[in-house]
Amino acid sequence: MNSIPAPNAPSSGSHAAVPGQLGVPTDRGRDRGAPGSWGHAQPGSIYDFVRVATFAIGPDGRISQWSGRAAEFFGVPAADAVGADPISTFVPRELWQRGRARLERILGGEEWVGTAPYRNADGSEGLAELYAMPDAVPDAAPGTGTPGATCLAVDLGRLRRIETDLAASEAVFGQTPTGFFLFGNDLRLQRVNDAFAAGVGLSPAELQGLTPYDLFLPGEAERLLVALRKVLDGGGPIVDLRFTGAVPRTASVPAPGGRRDGGRRWAISLYRLTGAAGHPMGVAGQVMDVTSRHVAEREAAGVRRSLALLNEASSHIGSTLDLETTAKELLDVIVPQFCDLATVDLYTALLTGDSGPISGQSGLSDGCGELRRVAVSSVVGGASSVLGAEGSVPVAEAGGTLCYPRRSPHARALRTGRSVVPQPGPDPLLRSTLVVPLVARDQVLGLVQLSRAIGSEPFDARDVAIAEELVARAAVCVDNARLYRREHERALLLQRSLLPPGNPAATGLEIARRYLPSNNNTEVGGDWFDVIPLPGSRTALVIGDVMGRGLRAAVAMGQLRTAVRTLAMLDLDPAEVLGALDEIARGLGGDSDRPGEESTELYLATCVYAVYDAVKQRCTFANAGHLPPVLLSPGEPARMLDVPPGLPLGVGGEPFEEVWVDLPDDAILGLYTDGLVESRKHQLDEGLRAFRTALTNGSKELEKLCDQVLDELIPHHGEDDIALLMAKVQSLPEDAVGDWRLPAELTSVGKARDLACGWLLTRGLDELVDTTELLVSELVTNALRHGRGEIRLRLLKDRTVVCEVWDDGYAQPRQRRAQETDEGGRGLQLVSLLAERWGSRRTPNGKIVWFELSL
């Protein structure tokens, strides 16, 4: 066996004892406060790591004693080892000769320390550091016995690794600037490095034996103690546990200068120390001062919160074009995420439709104009004011008006357009207040007040910048809402001014109509309807819808409605009226704001034009791309009339068709716009079916029926305007019409006078006899002179008396000024002078000249 001297070897002649097996006392067996006491080694001994074995060799050179650690070390049980030759059993064959020579010298009394190769039970070779100590036979007399030997074997590989680990541990523990500590199983400090001691402000000796309660405040100490127990019980390492640090506070170890560094932040990581057998040996910890990192993280978190707040504001504020809603959306974003109490005040001029105050305008430059509180949000109960030392202002409820004092921070913010941070006031609930003006397009629209309660951090420079950015975004939305509200109110005023006032009257019809604007408060639609009385007990019923929304749509609707009334006075057929409207609609899109450029904007509209003849009880329809009329006849379900749809107005290129329908007594005709029957929530077919069902099951009274239809269909409404025009047929009395046919003879003039006068006298209209007699004579004479064919005389009595003279001539009468020498030409002047109204219209075979007398 080769000899390699080992450092720190026992001195020659000494009797080596095996720690942990022969009862040698160790520090690990001592109890604190009882040094030097005897006891048992605790689990997790150093020998579990080093891998130590003991055995004895007798005088015969064979193994006489074999310990349990030897059996584990070499993998050979005592039964096989005792009595065996140690050289042939454990030493490789090529080293047997040298090994026996070394064994003989040891048995001869030579102590030896060195390295020796050996073979494990599995056949692998290892290198052991061997301590061989000669001994005498126990039962021999002194000086007469043959010596044996006691051997201690240590796994050299394990030993070198432990030495390396200890050196690395000492280097890390002693030289690193990071604090390290070691808690024993009793959760008291066993060891700390200089960095930890310097951070705490005590020496390593002063720290030894302290508990977490000696290092931290009670709450933090309890957290550390719980973490230590968890790691010690096998719960795994705990990394980056944050603490607020404090120096020791015990009476035995007073804090230097009596200070307590409670503002420092520490990050502690804990790791379980485990012996070779898996037994806990304590908890090691690493401590880092993360105060600066904590501040940076807090700053970064604040920036992230600010960015998230701005992002939420971008998506949440301005979802509608309503002033009050926009103000509430702003407060939804900032309370409680940014502040605890906030209010929004707007100049009352904005809410009444004026252009709004501008900083520097007369009467408003001092910031004392009247404002209205449009939104309030608070998570603070009982706050009495939003300001303090510079002038407290009560927290008004939403809807209230207020004027700020001239020298108040509010007035200064309104006057300068800059934010103001007032001094804290006497209110015990509020700690800090910020006043930010709402400024958009160089206009001061109002202000936003933000307050934080006691317990929150006061507003700093970054908070002011964030608040100004939030309020600036809201100010743009508020200003847009103001402009759209003004346009909406003007368009709505225009639209309502063009709708028929009150309940329009119509011969032979009971009329009911409804108009409901959409829930969109920013724009109006182009829906309209009209009821136009026509000569001959006829009535024009019109409904239409200009595509698009806003002021331009309302203006286009007004132009088309005016054109319809003008065309109706010409007494054109429905198809001719729509043809002329189509030309007008195409002309509306031909204007451009820039000279020399043609407008590319196209005005499209749908329209139904119907003419009801009360005498015939017949209605003639023409449709320009509108939804079909609906008819409810007595005893039958409601049905859609088969009216050719045609193209919308403004498209052009196709003529419009006419159809006529005879309407029975008490029949109900319905005209409507698509807002009644169509929305994004349901399809058109579903809405039309619901409309027909509501009509079929509704009341017989027309006004109630209108309300029932709206109540039935209104849950789907809100996206578009609704226009509903309904007419119920009321047949004329039997004596309301007088109709005669006369031959084209001169005698027909006198006969016509007699028939007309007799008809009036029969109905008690004596006061109209003289005028009617004169005017009938003029019209019949003109029919004989300028017309041809059979003459027809018809008198109608409703709210007025209408007299009509028919002939087969196409030439329309034209009133002209007769000269003094003219023998004729004064008949129509006489008709125009005596009649309430007069006119003429074409028929398929000629014309009708009529006049009207008031009752």
Side-chain angles (χ1 to χ4, degrees), residues 485 698 800:
R485 170 179 284 190
T800 62

Side-chain angles (χ1 to χ4, degrees), residues 504-558:
T507 301
L509 294 175
E510 178 187 355
I511 301 295
R513 82 283 186 283
R514 298 288 188 275
Y515 175 79
L516 296 177
S518 70
N519 292 340
N520 186 350
N521 294 326
T522 61
E523 293 183 337
V524 296
D527 295 13
W528 93 93
F529 60 86
D530 208 345
V531 178
I532 307 171
L534 298 177
S537 297
R538 296 174 306 133
T539 303
L541 305 174
V542 190
I543 196 163
D545 185 2
V546 177
M547 298 182 185
R549 304 187 64 81
L551 186 60
R552 297 178 68 86
V555 170
M557 177 270 287

Side-chain angles (χ1 to χ4, degrees), residues 345-484:
D345 301 334
L346 298 178
Y347 277 112
T348 55
L350 297 178
L351 305 173
T352 56
D354 294 343
S355 60
I358 302 176
S359 294
Q361 283 186 344
S362 175
L364 295 172
S365 59
D366 57 358
C368 300
E370 184 179 74
L371 298 100
R372 180 178 301 170
R373 182 146 294 170
V374 296
V376 176
S377 181
S378 174
V379 293
V380 182
S384 61
S385 64
V386 293
L387 289 179
E390 299 185 47
S392 297
V393 177
V395 178
E397 296 182 356
T401 59
L402 65 163
C403 295
Y404 291 109
R406 186 183 304 274
R407 296 186 179 181
S408 67
H410 298 76
R412 185 162 71 251
L414 292 170
R415 183 170 58 252
T416 63
R418 297 180 180 178
S419 301
V420 177
V421 181
Q423 295 297 320
D427 195 313
L429 298 177
L430 300 181
R431 179 178 185 182
S432 179
T433 298
L434 174 62
V435 180
V436 184
L438 281 157
V439 183
R441 300 179 179 92
D442 296 328
Q443 288 188 341
V444 177
L445 310 177
L447 56 80
V448 179
Q449 306 166 81
L450 307 97
S451 297
R452 287 180 176 174
I454 296 297
S456 301
E457 295 183 358
F459 293 109
D460 55 20
R462 187 182 65 186
D463 293 332
V464 173
I466 294 298
E468 289 176 344
E469 178 64 23
L470 290 170
V471 173
R473 297 187 183 194
V476 173
C477 297
V478 168
D479 195 48
N480 290 338
R482 174 183 68 88
L483 296 176
Y484 275 103

